[in-house]
Coordinates of all heavy atoms in Angstrom, one line a residue:
A1 N 0.8 -1.2 0.0 CA 0.0 0.0 0.0 C 0.8 1.3 0.0 O 0.3 2.4 0.1 CB -0.9 0.0 1.2
G2 N 2.2 1.1 -0.1 CA 3.0 2.3 -0.2 C 4.0 2.6 1.0 O 4.7 3.5 0.9
A3 N 3.9 1.8 2.0 CA 4.8 2.0 3.2 C 6.2 1.7 2.9 O 6.6 1.0 2.0 CB 4.3 1.1 4.4
K4 N 7.1 2.4 3.6 CA 8.5 2.2 3.6 C 9.0 1.5 4.8 O 8.3 1.6 5.9 CB 9.3 3.5 3.4 CG 8.7 4.4 2.3 CD 8.8 3.7 0.9 CE 8.2 4.6 -0.2 NZ 8.2 4.0 -1.5
V5 N 10.1 0.8 4.8 CA 10.6 0.0 5.9 C 12.0 0.3 6.2 O 12.9 0.2 5.2 CB 10.4 -1.5 5.7 CG1 10.8 -2.3 6.9 CG2 8.9 -1.8 5.3
K6 N 12.4 0.6 7.4 CA 13.8 0.8 7.8 C 14.5 -0.5 8.0 O 14.1 -1.3 8.8 CB 13.9 1.7 9.0 CG 13.4 3.1 8.8 CD 13.7 4.0 10.0 CE 13.3 5.4 9.7 NZ 13.7 6.3 10.8
A7 N 15.6 -0.7 7.2 CA 16.5 -1.8 7.4 C 17.4 -1.5 8.5 O 18.6 -1.1 8.3 CB 17.2 -2.1 6.1
T8 N 17.0 -1.5 9.7 CA 17.7 -1.1 10.9 C 17.5 -2.0 12.0 O 16.6 -2.9 12.0 CB 17.2 0.3 11.3 OG1 15.7 0.2 11.6 CG2 17.4 1.4 10.3
G9 N 18.3 -1.9 13.0 CA 18.1 -2.6 14.3 C 18.2 -4.1 14.2 O 17.5 -4.9 14.9
F10 N 19.1 -4.6 13.3 CA 19.3 -6.1 13.2 C 19.6 -6.8 14.5 O 19.3 -8.0 14.6 CB 20.3 -6.4 12.1 CG 20.1 -5.9 10.7 CD1 21.0 -6.0 9.7 CD2 18.8 -5.3 10.4 CE1 20.8 -5.5 8.4 CE2 18.6 -4.8 9.1 CZ 19.5 -4.9 8.1
G11 N 20.2 -6.1 15.4 CA 20.5 -6.6 16.7 C 19.4 -6.6 17.7 O 19.6 -7.0 18.8
R12 N 18.3 -6.1 17.3 CA 17.2 -6.0 18.3 C 15.9 -6.7 17.8 O 15.0 -7.0 18.6 CB 16.8 -4.5 18.6 CG 16.2 -3.7 17.5 CD 15.6 -2.4 17.9 NE 16.7 -1.4 18.2 CZ 16.9 -0.9 19.5 NH1 16.2 -1.3 20.5 NH2 17.9 -0.1 19.7
V13 N 15.9 -7.1 16.5 CA 14.7 -7.7 16.0 C 14.6 -9.2 16.3 O 15.6 -9.8 16.6 CB 14.6 -7.5 14.4 CG1 14.6 -6.0 14.1 CG2 15.7 -8.2 13.7
Q14 N 13.4 -9.7 16.2 CA 13.2 -11.2 16.3 C 12.6 -11.7 15.1 O 11.4 -12.1 15.0 CB 12.2 -11.4 17.5 CG 12.8 -10.9 18.9 CD 11.9 -11.1 20.0 OE1 10.8 -11.5 19.9 NE2 12.4 -10.8 21.2
L15 N 13.4 -11.8 14.1 CA 13.0 -12.3 12.8 C 14.2 -12.7 12.0 O 15.3 -12.5 12.3 CB 12.1 -11.3 12.0 CG 12.6 -9.8 11.8 CD1 13.7 -9.7 10.8 CD2 11.5 -9.0 11.3
D16 N 13.9 -13.4 10.8 CA 15.0 -13.8 9.9 C 15.3 -12.6 9.0 O 14.6 -12.3 8.1 CB 14.5 -15.0 9.1 CG 15.6 -15.5 8.2 OD1 16.4 -14.8 7.7 OD2 15.5 -16.8 7.9
V17 N 16.4 -11.9 9.4 CA 16.7 -10.6 8.7 C 16.9 -10.8 7.2 O 16.3 -10.1 6.4 CB 17.9 -9.9 9.4 CG1 18.3 -8.7 8.5 CG2 17.5 -9.5 10.8
P18 N 17.7 -11.7 6.7 CA 17.9 -11.9 5.3 C 16.6 -12.1 4.6 O 16.4 -11.5 3.5 CB 18.9 -13.1 5.2 CG 19.6 -13.1 6.5 CD 18.6 -12.7 7.5
R19 N 15.8 -13.0 5.1 CA 14.5 -13.3 4.4 C 13.6 -12.1 4.4 O 12.8 -11.8 3.5 CB 13.8 -14.5 5.0 CG 14.5 -15.8 4.6 CD 13.7 -17.0 5.1 NE 14.3 -18.2 4.7 CZ 13.9 -19.5 5.1 NH1 12.9 -19.6 5.9 NH2 14.6 -20.5 4.6
A20 N 13.6 -11.3 5.5 CA 12.8 -10.1 5.6 C 13.2 -9.1 4.5 O 12.4 -8.5 3.8 CB 12.8 -9.5 7.0
L21 N 14.5 -8.9 4.4 CA 15.1 -7.9 3.5 C 14.7 -8.4 2.0 O 14.2 -7.6 1.2 CB 16.6 -7.9 3.6 CG 17.2 -7.2 4.8 CD1 18.7 -7.5 4.8 CD2 16.8 -5.8 4.9
E22 N 14.8 -9.6 1.8 CA 14.5 -10.1 0.4 C 13.1 -10.0 0.1 O 12.7 -9.6 -1.0 CB 15.0 -11.6 0.4 CG 14.9 -12.2 -1.0 CD 15.4 -13.6 -1.0 OE1 14.8 -14.5 -0.3 OE2 16.4 -13.9 -1.7
S23 N 12.2 -10.3 1.1 CA 10.7 -10.3 0.9 C 10.3 -8.9 0.6 O 9.4 -8.6 -0.2 CB 10.0 -10.9 2.1 OG 10.4 -12.3 2.2
I24 N 10.8 -7.9 1.4 CA 10.3 -6.5 1.3 C 10.8 -6.0 0.0 O 10.1 -5.3 -0.8 CB 10.8 -5.7 2.5 CG1 10.2 -6.2 3.8 CG2 10.6 -4.2 2.2 CD1 10.9 -5.7 5.0
A25 N 12.1 -6.3 -0.4 CA 12.6 -5.7 -1.7 C 11.9 -6.3 -2.9 O 11.7 -5.6 -3.9 CB 14.1 -6.0 -1.7
R26 N 11.5 -7.6 -2.7 CA 10.7 -8.2 -3.8 C 9.3 -7.5 -4.0 O 8.9 -7.3 -5.1 CB 10.6 -9.7 -3.6 CG 9.9 -10.4 -4.8 CD 9.7 -11.9 -4.5 NE 10.9 -12.6 -4.2 CZ 11.2 -13.2 -3.0 NH1 10.3 -13.1 -2.0 NH2 12.3 -13.8 -2.8
R27 N 8.7 -7.2 -2.9 CA 7.4 -6.5 -2.9 C 7.5 -5.1 -3.5 O 6.7 -4.7 -4.3 CB 6.8 -6.5 -1.5 CG 5.4 -6.1 -1.4 CD 4.4 -7.0 -2.1 NE 4.5 -8.4 -1.5 CZ 3.6 -8.8 -0.6 NH1 2.7 -8.0 -0.1 NH2 3.7 -10.1 -0.1
D28 N 8.6 -4.4 -3.1 CA 8.8 -3.0 -3.7 C 10.2 -2.6 -3.5 O 10.7 -2.4 -2.4 CB 7.9 -2.0 -2.9 CG 8.1 -0.6 -3.5 OD1 8.9 -0.4 -4.4 OD2 7.4 0.3 -2.9
P29 N 11.0 -2.6 -4.6 CA 12.4 -2.3 -4.5 C 12.7 -0.9 -3.9 O 13.8 -0.6 -3.5 CB 12.9 -2.3 -6.0 CG 11.9 -3.2 -6.6 CD 10.6 -2.9 -6.0
A30 N 11.7 0.0 -3.9 CA 11.9 1.3 -3.3 C 11.5 1.4 -1.9 O 11.6 2.5 -1.3 CB 11.1 2.4 -4.1
A31 N 11.1 0.3 -1.3 CA 10.6 0.4 0.1 C 11.6 0.4 1.2 O 11.4 1.0 2.2 CB 9.6 -0.8 0.3

């Protein structure tokens, strides 16, 4: 829907960072 996402805080998140980056970039390369 147009949101942007900060690729930040890798040491504080509880998720698979590489897969999250890849999934978001695939959805919108400008996000």
Side-chain angles (χ1 to χ4, degrees):
K4 310 301 180 183
V5 183
K6 290 189 178 184
T8 57
F10 296 174
R12 69 170 72 245
V13 301
Q14 298 178 355
L15 50 73
D16 185 326
V17 171
R19 286 187 177 175
L21 293 171
E22 187 177 62
S23 298
I24 294 166
R26 186 183 301 118
R27 190 66 58 97
D28 181 0

